[in-house]
Amino acid sequence: MPLTPLDIHNKEFARRIRGYDEDEVNEFLDQVIKDYESVIRENKELQGQLASLQERLDHFVNIEETLSKTIIVAQEAADEVKNNAKKEAQLIIKESEKNADRIINESLSKARKIAMEVEELKKQASIYRTRFRTLVEAQLELLSQDGWEALETRERETREANEVY
């Protein structure tokens, strides 16, 4: 157990002949007591400062740990957002490619259908022209035949006969 200033103050030494000067020893012990009390006070102050500094250090260590954890969580969140964005971009690209393929296929199908309709219209126009030409030629042939005059004569005769009755 360490000495206290009171222990030093109450210490009694045995007396002997030709011993030390009692007043000088007492003065020295008083000085030792003062110095010892000063050292004890300083030690208590330093322990208080140490406790305060240790408390602050613990606080900053906690802050550091919290910040480290926060940075890790933020990094993980950023990585997750980045990965999700990549996945979403890939999905959008795939969807766009599908839509582009669908649009191209629909366009090709419509183009084929229109080409077929154009061909059909060309055939029908050709058939119509051929029939019209045949009809016109038949009409011209009828007009150039002698039978036309006979028809006109017969028509006149029928009219005249109708007038007589």
Side-chain angles (χ1 to χ4, degrees):
M1 177 187 304
L3 289 175
T4 65
L6 190 59
D7 291 338
I8 296 172
H9 183 31
N10 290 335
K11 178 65 176 165
E12 291 290 325
F13 295 98
R15 297 189 183 183
R16 292 195 182 169
I17 300 177
R18 292 177 60 211
Y20 292 108
D21 181 6
E22 189 175 329
D23 289 333
E24 199 176 311
V25 169
N26 284 337
E27 282 178 23
F28 181 75
L29 287 175
D30 286 342
Q31 184 62 40
V32 168
I33 289 171
K34 284 181 189 176
D35 290 347
Y36 195 66
E37 285 176 343
S38 173
V39 168
I40 289 174
R41 258 193 313 273
E42 186 178 339
N43 190 14
K44 284 184 181 180
E45 286 175 10
L46 289 174
Q47 286 178 352
Q49 287 178 358
L50 178 64
S52 173
L53 290 174
Q54 186 63 43
E55 186 178 310
R56 287 181 66 196
L57 178 63
D58 291 344
H59 175 71
F60 288 125
V61 166
N62 285 336
I63 289 174
E64 180 186 19
E65 288 175 1
T66 302
L67 288 175
S68 293
K69 289 176 184 176
T70 302
I71 289 171
I72 290 170
V73 168
Q75 183 63 42
E76 289 172 353
D79 290 343
E80 186 175 336
V81 167
K82 184 179 174 183
N83 289 336
N84 287 341
K86 282 183 181 178
K87 288 178 184 176
E88 188 173 340
Q90 289 173 348
L91 288 175
I92 289 171
I93 289 170
K94 285 182 182 178
E95 187 67 28
S96 298
E97 288 172 350
K98 286 180 184 178
N99 285 338
D101 288 343
R102 181 184 50 80
I103 290 169
I104 288 170
N105 289 336
E106 286 176 1
S107 298
L108 290 173
S109 176
K110 286 179 182 179
R112 285 186 199 115
K113 185 177 178 183
I114 290 171
M116 288 172 58
E117 288 175 0
V118 166
E119 285 300 315
E120 183 63 31
L121 287 173
K122 283 180 181 179
K123 286 178 186 176
Q124 288 178 3
S126 177
I127 291 170
Y128 176 75
R129 267 187 270 138
T130 304
R131 286 183 183 171
F132 189 68
R133 184 179 295 127
T134 305
L135 178 65
V136 169
E137 287 173 354
Q139 293 298 319
L140 284 173
E141 191 177 313
L142 268 175
L143 287 174
S144 64
Q145 290 180 358
D146 289 335
W148 185 256
E149 290 173 7
L151 279 174
E152 283 182 351
T153 306
R154 215 185 289 163
E155 188 179 318
R156 251 185 282 146
E157 288 173 358
T158 307
R159 248 188 285 151
E160 286 175 2
N162 283 336
E163 287 179 5
V164 173
Y165 293 110

